[in-house]
Amino acid sequence: MSGRLQFSRMALLDLLPILPSQTVIGDGGARAPVARNNARSEWAASLLKFGRMARFRGYGRVGGALAGAAWSLAPDLRAARREVLRHRPRAAGDVPHLGSVAIGTTGLCNASCLSCPTGKASTAHVPRTPMAMPLFRKIIDGIEEEGVDIRHMIGFGLFGDGLLDPHVVERARYVREKLPDVLLSVNTNAAAYNSARHKALRDHVSVIALHCESLTPETFDRLMAPLRARNVFAKYERLLDDFPGRVRVSVPVSRMNLHELEAMRAWFLARGAHVVAFDPLSSRCSPDRTVFDALALAPQPIRCAPEVMTDLIVDSDGRVLACCQDFERIEPIGDLSRAGFRETMLGVARAQFRQRLAEGRHAEVATCSRCHGDVRSANFPFDQLADIAAG
């Protein structure tokens, strides 16, 4: 298809067959008016489907035109309305499109990993309760009503484990109903996985993001305390069986698990994991780097670009944060429990934080000034091992 090929909304409508206003039904030749809604809805759904295919293949204008035609045929088709709004250029007063959305659907985690502030004294003030459903719906409804595109995904689980949320299936169902085009991830260490309760997520989620730091029992017990390998490893097997091809395994790389990375990848892939990602360790903006420095490979200061502000990060009580590594929640930039979605996204605090990053004033921000981490490379960490050994 040529990149110059363009469709107007009316031209697409002209291509549709003319549907009769009445259809003969019943027996004895009785005639009754039948609404054309079903046929129009079917056409609209087909147009919307092909519009999304066009967008994913890089033909955004064609996709937008097809979505517009679908919306004209079926004004009540919310997915078509959303697709049209996503294609429209964002004006100065519009809520900008987002990269990712991280939602703290619960503040509770059953682990207190060695390198993580969760469960430590420094985060004792952080709420450990599930997010209220009205607040959750407010976030999802705001994204839908403002026509906000999400380029990456929505993730359940910020400082807590997504499967400890008693409403996780209900929330996933709501996201799929309101935002059928969005990728949805649930973040977990799998210790809370219950097949009978959580298998229902298969109808709604795109990815289960599994956090695992070791497959060596002694190392696992140390890195992911108070979890125990003897209890959790069997959960891995059940999770992988229930979500074949949809489990993304995240392995934070440290000096304690460096020797087993290849074996971990082979183990998970052999059991149907979609991918095993080796992720650089972060200091989590902690003021005490003793443990982090002992585990990290070759840490450097991390100074994020202003583009990170295209992410929306909301904790379980509605507090909006600038960074998902702000476990102590010391840099809030909004509160969705008090303000509306639009007001929060276009607020002064968010704009000011972005400006500080753009000007390189990271030293003025408590979290940014103490953010350190290993740095991802093309084949992390294997292309760094020689330098690490030499150091």
Side-chain angles (χ1 to χ4, degrees), residues 81-82 84-86 88 90 93-97 138-149 179 340-343 345-346:
R81 172 186 177 274
R82 171 166 168 75
V84 169
L85 293 176
R86 292 171 68 200
R88 288 179 180 170
R90 309 306 281 178
D94 290 339
V95 175
H97 292 317
K138 179 180 184 179
I139 298 167
I140 303 304
D141 292 348
I143 293 171
E144 184 213 15
E145 291 165 4
E146 294 291 338
V148 174
D149 189 19
L179 307 172
F341 180 82
R342 181 181 180 83
E343 177 187 351
M345 296 305 299
L346 299 177

Side-chain angles (χ1 to χ4, degrees), residues 158-187:
L158 181 59
F159 306 135
D161 189 287
L163 293 184
L164 286 172
D165 172 25
H167 311 297
V168 61
V169 176
E170 180 184 357
R171 295 190 208 274
R173 187 182 300 117
Y174 193 77
V175 169
R176 193 53 63 223
E177 173 191 334
K178 293 285 188 173
L179 307 172
D181 55 284
V182 171
L183 296 176
L184 175 60
S185 169
V186 176
N187 305 320

Side-chain angles (χ1 to χ4, degrees), residues 76 78 137 144 179 242 256 284 327 345:
D76 294 333
R78 300 174 69 94
R137 294 191 191 100
E144 184 213 15
L179 307 172
D242 289 345
M256 288 185 66
R284 315 289 181 95
F327 281 70
M345 296 305 299

